[in-house]
Amino acid sequence: QVQLVESGGGLVQPGGSLRLSCAASGRIFSINAMAWYRQAPGKQRELVARIITSGSTNYADSVKGRFTISRDNAKNTVYLQMNSLEPEDTAVYYCNADLRRTLTATLTNYWGQGTQVTVSS
C-alpha cells in the first residue's frame, strides 16, 4: 500500500505563513510529479502547485509569488510554503503524487486525505 500523509495545516491570520508537508510511504519505486491541490467549500478542487523530479514547478496564478513548492526526493516528501496568506486561501489542501510501485508498474495517481487551512482574523 502507498500512503500520502499531509501535515502542517491550521488556523492563521491574514498575512501569516504556514508550511505544509506530505510524506509518501509504502512500496515506492519512483515518484514522478508531486502536487498540492485545494478545495474550498462549494468549489471544485483546483491545482495549487506542482513539481516534477527535475525540480521544475508550476503554480496557479492566484498563488504565484506567495507560495513555494519543493520536494525532498530522498524522503519522498513534498512541501508547500505559503506566505502572505489571504482568506481566499482557506480550503482543504490535498497532496497528490504520480508514482510507480515497481520498475515495471504503470504510473498511478495517489491522493492524501487532506489538511485544513483556515485564514481568518
Side-chain angles (χ1 to χ4, degrees), residues 60-109:
D61 287 343
S62 59
V63 307
K64 283 181 181 176
R66 301 188 298 121
F67 291 11
T68 302
I69 189 170
S70 60
R71 64 189 281 180
D72 184 332
N73 292 329
K75 295 181 179 180
N76 289 337
T77 299
V78 64
Y79 306 96
L80 186 68
Q81 178 66 45
M82 305 185 293
N83 298 328
S84 302
L85 282 161
E86 304 168 353
E88 293 72 24
D89 296 316
T90 296
V92 178
Y93 283 70
Y94 296 91
C95 178
N96 180 273
D98 290 323
L99 60 89
R100 285 186 171 83
R101 299 188 64 192
T102 67
L103 175 62
T104 57
T106 56
L107 199 61
T108 305
N109 190 258

Side-chain angles (χ1 to χ4, degrees), residues 1-7 21-28 30-37 45 71 75-78 93-101 108-115:
Q1 286 281 34
V2 172
Q3 281 190 314
L4 301 182
V5 179
E6 301 104 333
S7 61
S21 300
C22 170
S25 63
R27 186 179 184 184
I28 299 171
S30 65
I31 300 178
N32 286 25
M34 299 189 82
W36 289 96
Y37 287 74
R45 192 173 295 188
R71 64 189 281 180
K75 295 181 179 180
N76 289 337
T77 299
V78 64
Y93 283 70
Y94 296 91
C95 178
N96 180 273
D98 290 323
L99 60 89
R100 285 186 171 83
R101 299 188 64 192
T108 305
N109 190 258
Y110 290 86
W111 289 93
Q113 291 298 309
T115 184

